[in-house]
Amino acid sequence: MILRLMRKLLITSLLLAAACLTAGAQLLYRISGGGLEHPSYIFGTHHIAPLSIVDSIAGFDSAFASCSQLYGEIEMDSANTPAAQQMMMQAMMAPADSALTALFTPAEFALIDSAVRLYLGVGAEQLAVLKPAALSTQLSVAQTLKVFPGFSQAEQLDIYLQRRAAERGMPVRGLESLASQIDVLFGAPLREQADELLELVTMERADELARRMADAYMAQDAAELYRLMTDPEWGGNEAELERILFGRNEAWVAKMPAIMEAQPSFFVVGAGHLPGSRGVLSLLGQRGYKVEPVK
């Protein structure tokens, strides 16, 4: 997925910095200690990766079976109700006085139109009622689908794991609400969204970035995925990372102790949230938990 979408949906102190850097090819971690009676687990996902990745994760089935509940970023079934879809559509629509044609110069709009025609097969005029972030998301997904051409929304990895949990009778819940995730996706100031969209359509080697991020994920290398996400060469900036990545990591980790104390839990979040000095793994270590890769 292109950088912006991965950071949004996607979208991970020093106690575990060395472990995070040397973990290498690892997406599944055991969380123990810190007063927990039973370990919990956390798995890093890629929202458009093939389901086959699960079969290559060492210890995945036994870890999954040992847990009594699953927590994703959001509870996916609740996001598929008519009311939720209407909420999403409303959040994607630009104010009447801020259509795409009002936010860009004619030359800039021509660049956007070219990218939209290339990846989405329609003219940008037909999508001018969308917020820039909504169009960025659609373009990012389209670029990533070139890397994973067999992707099916019905077989999305997060949805698959939540349904698998429900079939086992495990409660399925979210670490954040749909409203908060919508705000992450589409809540930035319109001028900031417009700048990001223009940066996206003018980014050279965009397809290369999508491929490198996909390759890193399929190699189970969350550390490389994180490096790409935060590398200024690919457009990373601190303000966006704070809003989309680090702030959410901290909010999730604040909730996780009570969740794990109640029942052994299986967490499923975007792989980019795991590594790094302000990633979920490190933040859990700072709270006294032992976080180790599952072998």
Side-chain angles (χ1 to χ4, degrees):
M1 187 175 292
I2 278 299
L3 181 57
R4 300 252 177 255
L5 184 60
M6 280 297 297
R7 286 201 297 238
K8 290 179 178 178
L9 295 175
L10 61 221
I11 149 79
T12 233
S13 179
L14 298 177
L15 290 176
L16 283 183
C20 289
L21 290 173
T22 59
Q26 191 66 39
L27 295 174
L28 179 63
Y29 290 83
R30 178 186 296 106
I31 308 166
S32 60
L36 295 179
E37 289 188 32
H38 304 284
S40 288
Y41 295 84
I42 187 164
F43 173 64
T45 186
H46 182 309
H47 303 305
I48 308 185
L51 303 185
S52 59
I53 186 70
V54 172
D55 297 329
S56 66
I57 305 295
F60 187 95
D61 289 342
S62 59
F64 195 86
S66 72
C67 293
S68 302
Q69 61 182 352
L70 182 145
Y71 269 78
E73 293 183 17
I74 61 171
E75 196 271 295
M76 300 295 288
D77 280 348
S78 67
N80 289 323
T81 65
Q85 293 298 307
Q86 182 176 6
M87 183 192 305
M88 178 73 76
M89 287 302 300
Q90 289 176 341
M92 294 172 66
M93 303 298 286
D97 61 350
S98 300
L100 292 177
T101 49
L103 294 172
F104 300 98
T105 67
E108 291 171 338
F109 191 79
L111 292 171
I112 294 167
D113 183 68
S114 178
V116 170
R117 289 181 184 277
L118 175 63
Y119 287 103
L120 302 180
V122 299
E125 286 276 3
Q126 294 176 252
L127 303 175
V129 296
L130 296 178
K131 289 180 179 177
L135 189 52
S136 293
T137 298
Q138 292 194 30
L139 287 171
S140 299
V141 170
Q143 289 169 323
T144 303
L145 290 179
K146 294 178 64 177
V147 181
F148 292 124
F151 172 75
S152 167
Q153 182 63 37
E155 296 183 338
Q156 202 256 3
L157 185 54
D158 299 71
I159 295 174
Y160 163 74
L161 292 174
Q162 292 195 16
R163 289 179 178 169
R164 178 171 164 179
E167 288 169 0
R168 291 188 62 245
M170 297 166 61
V172 175
R173 302 182 175 93
L175 288 166
E176 60 190 17
S177 67
L178 175 63
S180 65
Q181 192 157 98
I182 287 175
D183 185 61
V184 167
L185 286 167
F186 310 120
L190 286 179
R191 185 66 260 165
E192 180 180 325
Q193 293 184 32
D195 291 343
E196 291 178 0
L197 174 58
L198 190 61
E199 181 182 342
L200 177 63
V201 300
T202 57
M203 182 189 294
E204 295 183 5
R205 301 158 60 208
D207 289 343
E208 177 190 344
L209 175 58
R211 165 60 64 186
R212 289 176 64 176
M213 295 181 78
D215 288 347
Y217 184 77
M218 295 307 292
Q220 303 181 37
D221 193 344
E224 172 64 7
L225 187 62
Y226 174 82
R227 188 192 70 76
L228 290 168
M229 291 173 66
T230 56
D231 189 340
E233 178 186 356
W234 300 108
N237 69 76
E238 285 301 317
E240 185 180 57
L241 290 171
E242 192 68 40
R243 180 172 64 89
I244 292 171
L245 198 65
F246 302 135
R248 295 169 74 205
N249 292 348
E250 291 164 3
W252 295 347
V253 171
K255 297 175 181 179
M256 289 172 69
I259 292 170
M260 295 187 293
E261 289 166 11
Q263 298 182 67
S265 304
F266 196 92
F267 298 96
V268 179
V269 301
H273 291 278
L274 299 183
S277 62
R278 297 180 65 189
V280 170
L281 304 181
S282 186
L283 294 174
L284 287 169
Q286 292 178 43
R287 286 177 172 262
Y289 296 103
K290 181 180 180 180
V291 184
E292 54 191 340
V294 175
K295 301 296 186 181

